[in-house]
Amino acid sequence: GKHRIVIPCLGHFKEEYEKVSKLYMNNKIRTTRYTLWNFLPRNLFEQFHRIANLYFLFLVVLNWVPLVEAFQKEITMLPLIGVLTIIAVKDGLEDYSRYKMDKQINNLVTKVYSR
């Protein structure tokens, strides 16, 4: 099988390290839930797993049926959009603080002891 080469002091071995390090997974810590590309769909997916949000979505859809329409169509969407926006902003800020903490931890200087 493959064996692992650990080079604690790069110095003049930098080219060899870069060539060898591409073969292995990194050990960076990642506690964030979202990326820039999956934030909106994943956040909406998680929010619509809450029964209250599904209830308000049901009311919005039901209000688009002409026989059942109780209010203007746009007015029934306002509470749902407001709640979804507030929760998305809160989740985004929490995830960004996790990202900053992960970045800080991953950039800590470590000591490597060898025999």
Side-chain angles (χ1 to χ4, degrees):
K2 293 183 179 179
H3 63 279
R4 184 172 176 190
I5 300 173
V6 178
I7 305 171
C9 179
L10 292 178
H12 50 281
F13 296 108
K14 189 171 184 176
E15 296 89 19
E16 182 182 353
Y17 171 75
E18 289 174 354
K19 183 176 75 173
V20 171
S21 66
K22 291 178 185 175
L23 302 174
Y24 300 101
M25 295 292 296
N26 63 19
N27 62 348
K28 289 185 178 181
I29 294 172
R30 182 174 180 257
T31 59
T32 58
R33 268 192 254 170
Y34 308 109
T35 63
L36 287 176
W37 303 110
N38 73 359
F39 176 74
L40 189 61
R42 190 166 183 183
N43 187 267
L44 287 175
F45 179 76
E46 288 177 6
Q47 287 194 44
F48 282 118
H49 272 80
R50 297 183 181 127
I51 295 190
N53 290 343
L54 283 175
Y55 172 74
F56 282 112
L57 180 66
F58 174 73
L59 289 179
V60 167
V61 170
L62 193 62
N63 203 36
W64 283 84
V65 176
L67 294 174
V68 187
E69 183 179 351
F71 305 107
Q72 291 180 345
K73 296 172 185 166
E74 296 79 16
I75 291 177
T76 56
M77 290 190 302
L78 287 177
L80 180 63
I81 291 173
V83 167
L84 293 178
T85 303
I86 290 170
I87 294 174
V89 168
K90 178 192 70 86
D91 288 346
L93 291 174
E94 286 176 357
D95 207 55
Y96 182 68
S97 67
R98 276 192 226 110
Y99 166 76
K100 287 189 333 186
M101 185 63 75
D102 291 346
K103 190 174 179 180
Q104 181 182 3
I105 290 171
N106 288 329
N107 290 327
L108 286 175
V109 176
T110 58
K111 292 182 179 180
V112 178
Y113 294 100
S114 63
R115 295 181 185 189

